[in-house]
Amino acid sequence: MQKSKVHTSYHRLRLQVFMGIFIGYAGYYLLRNNFSIAIPGLLKEGFSKAELGFALSAVSLAYGISKFVMGIVSDRSDARIFLPLGLFLVSIVNLALGFIPALTSNIAMMFIMLFIVGWFQGMGWPPCGRVLVHWFSVNERGGKTALWNTAHNVGGGLMAPLANWGIAVIAASSLAIKSYNGAFIIPAIAGFIIAIIAFLLVRNSPEKMGLPPIEEYRNDYPNKEHQLSEHNYSTKELLFQHVLNNKWIWVIAVANIFVYLVRYGVENWLPTYLTEVKHITLSTASTSYLWYELAGIPGTLIAGWVSDHVFHGRRGPASFCFMVLVSVFLLIYISANSLTVINIALVAIGFLIYGPVMLIGLQSLDLVPKKAAGTAAGLTGLFGYFFGSFSANAILGWVVDVAGWHMGFMLILAASVLACLIFLTTWNVRGQSVMK
């Protein structure tokens, strides 16, 4: 293919596939945390925070395992099919949660259904990571991944008003279901539409489109030897030669535990904490939730830019700086009584926490050959969700029931400090090399 045609094709297709994974992943977040909006209504039904926290932990447990398993499967699948398929399936489950009252009638049933939600959610990140490493090279990947990562915030932010809209619609209807079940319905309908859009836009890799590898096109390689290591590995080779024996993958996987405990400790309990402790209405709390999510958009973009241009492809220093500031604003959030100060603290935490969330995923992609991208991202995700998010849901709910909200937030603050310390150890890591 002529150089001019290669350039034209790359320019068009990179924008197209980026829009596909951005819109597709935002769709996943429309359908992940709907249960947190339903919690205040379920508390009125007589369930305790510990019980509902246990049920909510099913999403994290399933997602952590699924992200690892589906990461391995994703590395051998077509991202164009894999990404929308998971979104379609999770939309079906959410629709069932909305229209079948029995599915939210007891903790065991809620746990099972949310486990299924979490499992299908695990089909979202790995194909997106696979697409990113095939279409964008190391020196630009921080900014591009940061921009893509704001899909978390777009989807998560829109979830709250859509879920509340669903609650209002059901409350005004004559359907024989509780109003809180509406939190699942409208986001699910949107999920079906977005799955179709993602299928139409996503393409697996440049090579599949007759183009040269992105590293060759941009003359930007992940290591000093300019090796791509792009032959087809067996699953055993991917796991044991490029992922499980990479010490830096393990380091950032442990860091992910504490980052996710902070993220979901604040996020999943935000509506309940604000309505119960700060005496704010659910509608106002949902608005605060929206601002928290939207603040992550500029924060994530700046984190990616800083890691690319200030630290030249090193993700650890940027993560460290952001988590130090998260710790500061957690203290403000805990002690604030004014709604204005609470929202300022939430905006700051949202602005800061999504940077490290994105950078850990990005660093896992940087550390391995492209063919192992989904597996590496899956392992770090397993740690973040299986241990970190589980702690934020089940353990934090139990701590709050037993010892109160103050002790719950001390647990979150301790996790933030530990994440800072771990990120310090990765200060000089760039791509698949350690800088002198």
Side-chain angles (χ1 to χ4, degrees):
M1 187 180 293
Q2 294 179 352
K3 189 173 182 179
S4 60
K5 289 184 178 181
V6 168
H7 178 74
T8 301
S9 296
Y10 249 113
H11 181 75
R12 175 179 59 82
L13 287 170
R14 289 198 336 154
L15 177 60
Q16 175 183 316
V17 298
F18 184 87
M19 291 303 298
I21 60 174
F22 184 94
I23 295 169
Y25 203 57
Y28 275 86
Y29 268 78
L30 285 176
L31 297 161
R32 181 171 299 183
N33 291 326
N34 314 61
F35 191 77
S36 65
I37 302 297
I39 284 178
L42 288 164
L43 286 170
K44 293 177 181 177
E45 296 292 315
F47 297 105
S48 71
K49 289 186 286 294
E51 288 175 324
L52 295 173
F54 173 72
L56 186 58
S57 71
V59 177
S60 306
L61 290 173
Y63 184 77
I65 300 169
S66 176
K67 193 173 180 181
F68 182 52
V69 173
M70 292 301 178
I72 297 172
V73 176
S74 172
D75 282 332
R76 298 186 168 281
S77 303
D78 189 332
R80 186 187 185 192
I81 297 173
F82 205 82
L83 176 67
L85 176 61
L87 181 54
F88 185 84
L89 293 172
V90 80
S91 297
I92 291 175
V93 180
N94 271 270
L95 206 60
L97 281 166
F99 281 112
I100 305 175
L103 300 181
T104 52
S105 63
N106 62 77
I107 295 298
M109 186 59 71
M110 283 187 271
F111 185 93
I112 292 170
M113 295 305 297
L114 291 173
F115 190 93
I116 297 171
V117 167
W119 188 266
F120 290 143
Q121 285 281 343
M123 297 177 68
W125 210 109
C128 291
R130 178 182 174 86
V131 168
L132 282 165
V133 297
H134 277 89
W135 287 94
F136 303 97
S137 62
V138 174
N139 275 343
E140 63 172 348
R141 201 175 289 159
K144 296 300 190 296
T145 305
L147 184 58
W148 165 78
N149 202 71
T150 61
H152 286 80
N153 312 97
V154 173
L158 290 175
M159 179 278 294
L162 283 178
N164 269 301
W165 181 23
I167 290 173
V169 168
I170 296 304
S173 73
S174 58
L175 294 173
I177 56 179
K178 299 289 185 179
S179 61
Y180 56 76
N181 289 103
F184 304 98
I185 294 171
I186 292 179
I189 294 170
F192 290 122
I193 297 169
I194 293 171
I196 295 171
I197 294 172
F199 175 77
L200 294 174
L201 294 177
V202 173
R203 298 293 183 272
N204 201 50
S205 69
E207 292 88 332
K208 290 285 187 180
M209 304 303 294
L211 298 169
I214 186 62
E215 293 82 2
E216 179 183 328
Y217 172 67
R218 297 193 75 248
N219 191 30
D220 180 16
Y221 293 84
N223 50 52
K224 298 174 184 177
E225 296 80 18
H226 289 194
Q227 292 178 349
L228 296 182
S229 302
E230 283 303 291
H231 64 273
N232 291 320
Y233 298 106
S234 67
T235 300
K236 182 178 180 180
E237 287 175 324
L238 286 176
L239 275 172
F240 293 99
Q241 292 183 19
H242 297 287
V243 177
L244 296 183
N245 72 335
N246 188 323
K247 71 174 184 179
W248 296 114
I249 290 288
W250 289 104
V251 169
I252 63 172
V254 173
N256 213 23
I257 295 174
F258 300 113
V259 170
Y260 270 64
L261 196 158
V262 175
R263 174 190 175 186
Y264 283 108
V266 174
E267 181 178 313
N268 284 351
W269 292 101
L270 190 156
T272 306
Y273 176 69
L274 292 185
T275 55
E276 186 174 284
V277 179
K278 304 299 183 180
H279 308 296
I280 295 170
T281 66
L282 179 59
S283 176
T284 303
S286 295
T287 301
S288 298
Y289 191 108
L290 173 62
W291 284 114
Y292 167 86
E293 288 286 354
L294 294 180
I297 295 175
T300 302
L301 295 174
I302 291 172
W305 185 90
V306 167
S307 73
D308 275 350
H309 299 283
V310 177
F311 297 111
H312 308 292
R314 291 179 293 138
R315 318 304 177 188
S319 295
F320 169 79
C321 295
F322 273 59
M323 289 307 299
V324 167
L325 292 173
V326 166
S327 303
V328 172
F329 282 101
L330 275 171
L331 287 170
I332 297 173
Y333 178 58
I334 297 166
S335 58
N337 290 313
S338 162
L339 178 59
T340 300
V341 177
I342 289 169
N343 281 334
I344 290 172
L346 278 172
V347 165
I349 294 169
F351 178 91
L352 294 162
I353 192 63
Y354 280 99
V357 168
M358 179 275 297
L359 290 170
I360 286 177
L362 173 58
Q363 192 166 19
S364 69
L365 303 180
D366 288 344
L367 288 167
V368 297
K370 290 187 292 183
K371 294 289 187 181
T375 305
L379 181 63
T380 58
L382 171 64
F383 273 63
Y385 281 94
F386 195 85
F387 298 108
S389 187
F390 172 80
S391 299
N393 295 326
I395 296 177
L396 187 61
W398 176 79
V399 169
V400 172
D401 265 350
V402 173
W405 283 104
H406 180 75
M407 286 304 299
F409 275 100
M410 287 300 101
L411 175 63
I412 295 172
L413 182 61
S416 184
V417 173
L418 286 170
C420 293
L421 297 175
I422 295 172
F423 284 132
L424 274 177
T425 68
T426 69
W427 193 273
N428 291 321
V429 177
R430 180 193 179 275
Q432 295 163 30
S433 304
V434 178
M435 310 303 292
K436 301 296 184 182

